[in-house]
C-alpha cells in the first residue's frame, strides 16, 4: 500500500513542512482472542448466543521512501496494540435444513498502545522514539451464510465491518539526551471490512 506523513510548523495543523509519499510494502497484522459463549435462547428455527472474551490485536507498520535518489531514506516503523475485553450477541436463523444465517454484533473496550522507531529525526532516540497511549473502543458487525455439506461439515461466505477509535491520550517522546517529553495524543482511528469463505468441521 501507500502512506503519507505530514509535519506542520505551527499548531492546529498550520504551515505544512514535510509531505512525502511513502510506500508501505512490508508489515503484518495479528489477532488472537479467547472467548466463552452461552446459548440462552434455542428454538428450532432460531437461536441467540451471548459471548464474552478478550482480544489482542497487533499491527506492525513500516514507512519507506519512494525516492531512490534521496541521500537519507525514510525507514521507520510503527507498532500498535489494541487489547481488551469484548462482548458479543450472535443470533442464528435456520433458513432451511441446509441453509443457516448467522449475525454478530460485538463491542470491544480497548487499551491502545503504539511504539514508533523514527529514523530521520536525529534528536529522537532509537529503537523507541515515541509511544502513544489511549483508551478506545471497537464495534464489529458480521454476517455469515452457511450451507451444510453433510452432518460433519459446512461451507459458508462471511463478511464483517469494524470501526475502532480512541479518545485523547498521551504522546511520550524519547530524546537522545535521555529526556522524556509528554504531550497530548489526539487519537487513532482504524476502520475496515473483510469478506471470505469459511469451512467448518464439526467434531
Amino acid at each position: 500500500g501507500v502512506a503519507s506523513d505530514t509535519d506542520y510548523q505551527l499548531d492546529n495543523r498550520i504551515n505544512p513542512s514535510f509531505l512525502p509519499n511513502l510506500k508501505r510494502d512490508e508489515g503484518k497484522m495479528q489477532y488472537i482472542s479467547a472467548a466463552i459463549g452461552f446459548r440462552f435462547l434455542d428454538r428450532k428455527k432460531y437461536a441467540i448466543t451471548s459471548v464474552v472474551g478478550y482480544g489482542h490485536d497487533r499491527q506492525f507498520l513500516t514507512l519507506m521512501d519512494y525516492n531512490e535518489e534521496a541521500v537519507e531514506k525514510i525507514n521507520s516503523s510503527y507498532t500498535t496494540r489494541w487489547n481488551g475485553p469484548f462482548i458479543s450477541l450472535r443470533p442464528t436463523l435456520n433458513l432451511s435444513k441446509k441453509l443457516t444465517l448467522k449475525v454478530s454484533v460485538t463491542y470491544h473496550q480497548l487499551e491502545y498502545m503504539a511504539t514508533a522507531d523514527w529514523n530521520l529525526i536525529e534528536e529522537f532516540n532509537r529503537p523507541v522514539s515515541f509511544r502513544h497511549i489511549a483508551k478506545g473502543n471497537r464495534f464489529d458487525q458480521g454476517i455469515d451464510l452457511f450451507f451444510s455439506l453433510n452432518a460433519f461439515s459446512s461451507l459458508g461466505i462471511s463478511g464483517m465491518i469494524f470501526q475502532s477509535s480512541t479518545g485523547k491520550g498521551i504522546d511520550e517522546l524519547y530524546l537522545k539526551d535521555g529526556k522524556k517529553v509528554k504531550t497530548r495524543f489526539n487519537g487513532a482511528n482504524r476502520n475496515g471490512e473483510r469478506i471470505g469463505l469459511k469451512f467448518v468441521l464439526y467434531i
Side-chain angles (χ1 to χ4, degrees):
V2 296
S4 62
D5 177 20
T6 306
D7 294 342
Y8 301 89
Q9 293 183 352
L10 300 175
D11 292 341
N12 300 316
R13 297 178 181 177
I14 298 174
N15 196 10
S17 61
F18 186 63
L19 299 94
N21 289 318
L22 308 170
K23 61 183 178 181
R24 192 180 54 178
D25 55 0
E26 297 180 7
K28 56 187 177 182
M29 295 186 296
Q30 177 188 70
Y31 181 75
I32 301 171
S33 66
I36 186 170
F38 174 72
R39 182 169 288 186
F40 62 88
L41 184 61
D42 196 353
R43 300 289 186 268
K44 185 177 180 180
K45 289 291 186 180
Y46 61 91
I48 300 178
T49 303
S50 60
V51 177
V52 294
Y54 189 91
H56 169 80
D57 191 340
R58 186 176 182 183
Q59 296 173 287
F60 179 77
L61 308 175
T62 60
L63 295 175
M64 303 176 70
D65 205 331
Y66 272 125
N67 185 5
E68 298 295 335
E69 299 179 357
V71 176
E72 194 172 10
K73 298 183 183 301
I74 299 174
N75 185 15
S76 298
S77 66
Y78 189 73
T79 303
T80 73
R81 293 195 299 273
W82 304 72
N83 299 334
F86 63 85
I87 183 169
S88 181
L89 195 64
R90 303 180 182 181
T92 300
L93 180 63
N94 297 316
L95 301 175
S96 68
K97 290 183 178 180
K98 291 286 189 179
L99 210 56
T100 302
L101 180 68
K102 296 185 176 182
V103 179
S104 65
V105 179
T106 307
Y107 172 78
H108 304 250
Q109 184 65 45
L110 299 172
E111 297 280 347
Y112 177 82
M113 176 178 284
T115 303
D117 181 357
W118 231 244
N119 74 305
L120 279 191
I121 301 179
E122 294 183 357
E123 292 82 3
F124 286 2
N125 198 13
R126 299 188 67 192
V128 179
S129 302
F130 55 86
R131 283 196 172 101
H132 294 153
I133 301 170
K135 295 183 182 296
N137 55 54
R138 167 174 162 166
F139 290 95
D140 300 350
Q141 301 90 41
I143 186 168
D144 299 324
L145 184 63
F146 283 100
F147 179 79
S148 178
L149 301 175
N150 50 50
F152 307 103
S153 62
S154 295
L155 182 65
I157 185 169
S158 174
M160 186 188 76
I161 59 173
F162 68 88
Q163 306 88 32
S164 305
S165 63
T166 75
K168 294 179 175 60
I170 298 173
D171 183 341
E172 190 169 50
L173 178 62
Y174 297 86
L175 302 176
K176 275 188 176 180
D177 59 10
K179 293 181 180 178
K180 296 180 183 179
V181 180
K182 289 186 178 182
T183 59
R184 189 180 75 180
F185 173 56
N186 287 329
N189 295 286
R190 181 187 175 198
N191 304 318
E193 58 277 332
R194 181 182 69 205
I195 188 169
L197 295 175
K198 283 185 177 180
F199 177 74
V200 179
L201 184 63
Y202 304 105
I203 300 176

